[in-house]
Amino acid sequence: MPIINRIAAFHDEMTAWRRDLHAHPEIGLLEHRTSALIAERLRGFGVDEVITGLAGTGVVGVIRGRREGAAIGLRADIDALPIEEATGAAYASGTPGVMHACGHDGHTAMLLGAARHLAETRGFAGTVYVIFQPAEENAGGARIMIEDGLFERCPMSHVFGLHNWPSLPAGTIAWREGPVMAAVGVIDITITGRGAHGAKPQEGVDPILAAAHVVTALQSLVSRGLDPMQSGVVTIGAIHAGVAENVIPESVAMRGTARWFAPEVGDGLEAGVRRIATGVAAGLGASADVRFERTYPITVNEAASTGLARRAAAGVVGERRVIELAAPSMGAEDFAYMLQRCPGSYVMLGSGRSDHDPGLHHPGFDFNDEVLPVGASYWAGLVETLLGECA
């Protein structure tokens, strides 16, 4: 099954939906306009039921086939990022400091397109839940939807996710069994010294100097503390200290991220961050308070579900354009929470226009509307691959 003709016929409408969402981005758990628009569209498509309020702004559309059968879930994330847009597009964000820099506007439009087609045709046996999830970027909306009863209200045998991937050619679909996205630890370190005049450093304990040594020493956790055959990341992305050039401040706040695939690596990174930060700071006469919060778990694709995803992808884009990912990504994804509760798979939809496209989370990123019918057809094909056999 190549791109579905009916879906191709409303490509322009999907583009209009996507660009409207792009122009009106909303941060996680505040996607009130977005969720209202999704619910309105789903009701207009004639889905059997629209569930709202999961995780506050989450929406689930329920579409029943011609006969009874199994149930599956298809998930799209709907939130935007706290980034100032720099695309210059006519439909650029109208909200200062907020933009769809990860393509969730496209994910939403593709799943809406699939929902429209499935509600019109119902060429399957069973039930499809189209899950529009808030707060993927910042608050673990998948976890909150689960805590609010997603799987109790919408019992399903499999759940599937998809993300656009601008580093892959448009119209390709990439898959991987096992770990596909990393687990995450959020690092918060406060180093406290003793403030002094910048011209009299001997009267103080410089927390900036201690912080600089901590950042350097943390790099040894991966380069010298990790088995070279395993993968891990420790990055300090923010340091805040002081207000004047001639004042040694009292403290420094540092914030960073750790990533891993193997649980023992996560354990080692957490222990190492605590050991290095406290030890290095103490060696320089300061103290360090360390918080290491584990947030998103490893995203793990179940083998049988990934096989179904591959079959559906090949039916849309052809075998040659279905690619196995050479390695998992150190990016993270809260769809991992859903995969902990239900077998499923998460694939990447190539959306690249050229080798010079801005990447995800870049202020110049803009979703490639040309792949909208590809993604929507993949969703429909997945339903017909898994549930069509029962029809």
Side-chain angles (χ1 to χ4, degrees):
M1 184 193 72
I3 291 175
I4 296 169
N5 287 338
R6 175 60 182 140
I7 290 176
F10 54 76
H11 186 179
D12 287 349
E13 289 179 72
M14 284 194 290
T15 299
W17 303 338
R18 202 283 295 183
R19 294 184 178 185
D20 177 72
L21 291 166
H22 190 90
H24 301 90
E26 295 173 303
I27 293 294
L29 303 180
L30 298 175
E31 309 97 329
H32 301 292
R33 180 187 185 276
T34 302
S35 62
L37 183 150
I38 291 166
E40 178 185 1
R41 295 289 179 199
L42 291 174
R43 292 187 182 103
F45 301 156
V47 306
D48 297 282
E49 183 181 357
V50 177
I51 301 169
T52 59
L54 291 173
T57 49
V59 180
V60 180
V62 183
I63 308 170
R64 299 187 178 95
R66 295 174 185 170
R67 293 195 296 109
E68 292 186 358
I72 66 171
L74 313 177
R75 174 271 202 174
D77 34 18
I78 68 174
D79 57 320
L81 282 157
I83 295 174
E84 187 71 34
E85 181 159 354
T87 64
Y91 47 84
S93 169
T95 305
V98 181
M99 73 169 289
H100 273 292
C102 202
H104 296 183
D105 47 352
H107 301 170
T108 301
M110 289 187 291
L111 190 54
L112 283 172
R116 176 175 175 175
H117 172 78
L118 293 168
E120 287 178 354
T121 59
R122 301 183 187 262
F124 59 94
T127 302
V128 177
Y129 298 106
V130 286
I131 304 165
F132 295 88
Q133 179 218 299
E136 188 277 327
E137 295 288 1
N138 66 344
R143 173 184 53 79
I144 302 172
M145 287 191 86
I146 292 167
E147 291 171 351
D148 280 356
L150 171 65
F151 289 116
E152 289 74 27
R153 296 184 66 176
C154 307
M156 60 192 76
S157 63
H158 296 77
V159 65
F160 296 90
L162 173 154
H163 204 295
N164 83 100
W165 215 243
S167 61
L168 292 173
T172 56
I173 295 178
W175 60 275
R176 182 179 175 84
E177 292 181 7
V180 66
M181 302 286 271
V184 179
V186 177
I187 302 165
D188 278 299
I189 302 171
T190 300
I191 297 178
T192 303
R194 186 171 65 251
H197 195 292
K200 297 180 179 181
Q202 76 279 5
E203 296 179 359
V205 175
D206 191 345
I208 293 178
L209 176 64
H213 280 278
V214 168
V215 172
T216 300
L218 286 176
Q219 307 314 304
S220 69
L221 283 175
V222 173
S223 65
R224 287 296 178 268
L226 191 62
D227 183 333
M229 301 305 293
Q230 293 182 310
S231 299
V233 168
V234 175
T235 295
I236 298 299
I239 299 179
H240 301 283
V243 294
E245 77 282 358
N246 62 346
V247 176
I248 295 172
E250 192 78 11
S251 64
V252 174
M254 305 164 60
R255 190 169 173 84
T257 186
R259 306 291 172 104
W260 63 89
F261 298 110
E264 64 272 19
V265 172
D267 293 341
L269 293 178
E270 178 175 0
V273 168
R274 295 183 184 280
R275 181 183 69 251
I276 286 174
T278 56
V280 170
L284 293 168
S287 64
D289 178 70
V290 181
R291 185 174 68 87
F292 190 104
E293 180 186 2
R294 300 190 187 210
T295 56
Y296 297 176
I298 305 163
T299 305
V300 181
N301 283 342
E302 190 250 346
S305 300
T306 303
L308 292 166
R310 289 173 60 190
R311 283 175 53 195
V316 174
V317 301
E319 289 281 357
R320 291 185 178 182
R321 295 179 69 77
V322 179
I323 304 164
E324 181 178 7
L325 288 170
S329 168
M330 278 294 177
E333 170 57 69
D334 77 343
F335 186 63
Y337 292 113
M338 294 190 184
L339 291 178
Q340 286 184 327
R341 288 286 302 270
C342 185
S345 192
Y346 183 81
V347 302
M348 310 302 185
L349 172 61
S351 59
R353 301 175 180 87
S354 73
D355 293 338
H356 308 293
D357 279 6
L360 301 175
H361 291 215
H362 188 282
F365 174 80
D366 188 18
F367 184 88
N368 184 356
D369 291 321
E370 292 305 309
V371 304
L372 289 170
V374 180
S377 293
Y378 166 73
W379 284 135
L382 187 59
V383 170
E384 293 170 11
T385 296
L386 187 53
L387 302 182
E389 295 171 353
C390 305

